[in-house]
């Protein structure tokens, strides 16, 4: 296994998306976890985990969002927001937004390239990938290490991100690990 270039961002690998009883469950969550573990091992110290957490007080359009999903209005240390993998020494970036790209993540990963895996492809992954690409960062999305809200939504999100080539490249775990 070669040492891939850049940084790996593992988006929102949390209980709230992995628990089949959760309204936000990603059906293929457990299928992607072994691939994410392989990627984390390959990237070593160059990994950042992110977590979606609810704000203390929703504002703007988020008010209506949390009216629809009141179960999610819990503090960041609530069990549903826990990561399902131990991040070890890797930094963990919490955000109250779907997209995790911003000054904090940019400071952690530098100018890229980024390799992105996680959940949900059609929400937090795409909302992280597109702003990073728009900022001029080369992004690889590991298609078989991402899980969507549904298989159709996963595919639609990948199709959307593919439109951003060459800024965004779709790839597989095997291709990343092959170097």
């Amino acid at each position: 296994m070669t040492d891939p270039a850049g940084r790996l961002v593992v988006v929102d690998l949390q209980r709230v998306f992995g628990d089949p009883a959760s309204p936000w469950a990603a059906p293929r969550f457990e299928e992607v976890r072994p691939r994410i573990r392989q990627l984390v091992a390959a990237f070593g110290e160059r990994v950042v985990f992110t977590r979606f957490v609810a704000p203390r007080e929703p504002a703007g359009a988020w008010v209506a969002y949390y009216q629809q999903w009141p179960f999610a209005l819990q503090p960041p240390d609530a069990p549903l927001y826990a990561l399902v993998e131990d991040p070890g020494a890797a930094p963990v970036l919490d955000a109250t937004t779907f997209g995790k790209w911003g000054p904090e993540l940019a400071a952690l990963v530098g100018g890229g390239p980024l390799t992105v895996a996680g959940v949900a492809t059609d929400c937090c992954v795409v909302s992280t990938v597109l702003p990073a690409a728009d900022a001029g960062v080369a992004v690889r999305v590991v298609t078989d290490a991402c899980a969507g809200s549904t298989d159709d939504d996963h595919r639609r999100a990948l199709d959307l991100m593919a439109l951003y080539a060459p800024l965004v490249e779709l790839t597989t775990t095997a291709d990343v690990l092959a170097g």
Side-chain angles (χ1 to χ4, degrees):
M1 175 178 357
T2 62
D3 185 20
R7 302 274 178 169
L8 173 67
V9 177
V10 179
V11 177
D12 302 355
L13 201 63
Q14 297 168 260
R15 283 190 182 139
V16 69
F17 305 112
D19 180 353
S22 170
W24 289 351
R28 301 219 182 262
F29 187 92
E30 288 300 324
E31 289 179 35
V32 303
R33 281 181 71 187
R35 293 182 200 104
I36 291 172
R37 282 188 211 109
Q38 289 179 301
L39 293 166
V40 167
F43 278 83
E45 296 178 359
R46 294 172 294 111
V47 178
V48 175
F49 285 83
T50 71
R51 287 189 331 139
F52 177 82
V53 295
R56 285 188 184 153
E57 294 291 328
W62 288 105
V63 171
Y65 181 82
Y66 285 104
Q67 286 172 345
Q68 182 176 345
W69 304 108
F71 85 95
L73 273 178
Q74 297 188 34
D77 61 351
L80 81 156
Y81 289 130
L83 293 172
V84 298
E85 297 289 339
D86 179 357
V92 178
L93 174 66
D94 288 355
T96 60
T97 55
F98 297 143
K100 305 309 183 286
W101 183 258
E104 290 176 335
L105 184 55
L108 289 170
V109 301
L114 292 185
T115 300
V116 178
V119 296
T121 318
D122 48 302
C123 187
C124 296
V125 171
V126 71
S127 296
T128 300
V129 166
L130 296 184
D134 203 35
V137 176
V139 182
R140 293 186 299 182
V141 178
V142 188
T143 60
D144 62 349
C146 291
S149 301
T150 68
D151 289 346
D152 287 343
D153 290 342
H154 172 75
R155 173 55 37 212
R156 281 192 286 271
L158 294 176
D159 289 346
L160 171 68
M161 289 184 279
L163 296 172
Y164 286 78
L167 299 172
V168 176
E169 172 193 353
L170 303 184
T171 189
T172 65
T173 303
D175 287 343
V176 171
L177 297 178

